[in-house]
Amino acid sequence: RDRSPSRGLGDVYKRQIRNGIQAAISVPVCIDDKPIGVLYADSLVGRRYFTDTDIEFAKSLANLLSLRLLFHAIEHKLSLIN
């Protein structure tokens, strides 16, 4: 089975078309400038794009998620000390 990156992207696009996705956005979730995940959103209705405001909101949400994950890691380390 072909696992090349171009093949994988083709599969993603096929799923988007099959599921009726009109627009999609992916924003990296990072801790210490290292990506640890992805925040993904899509739209099945309406316009076929996300606005600049939508993109900024997604980036802000990913940043908040990154901070919460970082705080969770710190809380966990502190709990091991006590």
Side-chain angles (χ1 to χ4, degrees):
R1 197 169 142 165
D2 183 6
R3 296 264 184 208
S4 66
S6 60
R7 168 114 173 116
L9 286 177
D11 291 344
V12 169
Y13 297 139
K14 287 177 188 174
R15 275 195 304 276
Q16 288 176 334
I17 291 168
R18 184 174 55 242
N19 293 322
I21 295 171
Q22 300 296 311
I25 184 173
S26 298
V27 181
V29 176
C30 301
I31 294 180
D32 295 329
D33 294 325
K34 296 177 187 169
I36 60 161
V38 175
L39 178 67
Y40 172 85
D42 60 45
S43 174
L44 301 176
V45 295
R47 61 185 187 268
R48 294 177 179 253
Y49 60 91
F50 284 96
T51 65
D52 289 341
T53 302
D54 296 331
I55 294 167
E56 287 305 315
F57 177 77
K59 288 179 180 179
S60 296
L61 191 57
N63 287 336
L64 286 172
L65 182 56
S66 297
L67 285 173
R68 182 59 194 122
L69 292 170
L70 180 60
F71 289 149
H72 177 75
I74 292 168
E75 289 170 343
H76 177 71
K77 288 178 183 178
L78 288 173
S79 74
L80 295 176
I81 293 171
N82 296 329

